[in-house]
Amino acid sequence: MDIKLGKNDKRYIEGSDDVFSIMQRVLLRENKIDKEKEHFWIIGMNEAGYILYIELIALGSVKAVNIEPMNVYRVAVMKNATRVIAIHNHPSGRLVPSKADLDITDRLIQVGRILNIALVDHLIISTEAYESFRSMGIMDDLEKSLTYVPTYQVVEQIRKEEKKIAREKLALERDKTKLAKEAEKLAQIQAKALANALLDKGVDLKTIAKIMEITPKAVEKMINNTQ
């Protein structure tokens, strides 16, 4: 059922307060008929946050409401919404998410990804207050969930991570090799400078070799090396 906005309702969603401001009035209107039942709504928006529609997806019982992802996204696809927000009420006034609330949110996130429609947030509301899954950090956790991700996608993700780790490891090894070569070159330059400085002071090759713990022949080769 399509919900009509009032003339004083905002048409843009900038945050969860805007969502509650609109849906609180919707809930108060609908409570006149189904006061003790759970309602589940979806707000569909474009990328700019402009509200394209508000749809009552399902009307449940006192304790629960059954949701099918197909029904949630059907209107979103038809109206070209790229972002949606889920809202449902708890008639008891208790705003703590249930296991079923978390589960359906998880499912909606995954279905939305397939359709390229982002589930931005899920609000639990009463006539006086609300809780936002995004604000509570629940959305962040569920977006990492693999519960409803198809197996082939999980395997593909693991392979991508393995390739990424392999690339990073190879790059690290290359960096180590490069640093080692640069350190070796610097050590050679410093050793040559030391040998030349000792020669300038009149120190003979055997003594320089003893100081540097290399052979006299190596000292001579180092001094004559023009690289």
Side-chain angles (χ1 to χ4, degrees), residues 50-86:
Y50 182 81
I51 298 173
L52 301 175
Y53 68 90
I54 301 175
E55 184 87 4
L56 177 63
I57 301 297
L59 185 62
S61 64
V62 176
K63 294 183 179 179
V65 56
N66 292 322
I67 307 299
E68 287 298 329
M70 178 181 68
N71 294 331
V72 169
Y73 287 107
R74 174 179 51 83
V75 181
V77 171
M78 290 171 58
K79 298 202 175 183
N80 294 318
T82 57
R83 305 164 72 212
V84 296
I85 296 175

Side-chain angles (χ1 to χ4, degrees), residues 211-224:
I211 292 170
M212 300 183 70
E213 297 182 339
I214 56 177
T215 65
K217 189 175 180 180
V219 174
E220 189 175 357
K221 184 179 178 182
M222 182 193 305
I223 292 169
N224 293 329

Side-chain angles (χ1 to χ4, degrees), residues 8 121 127 181:
N8 295 321
D121 201 352
T127 54
K181 287 180 178 178

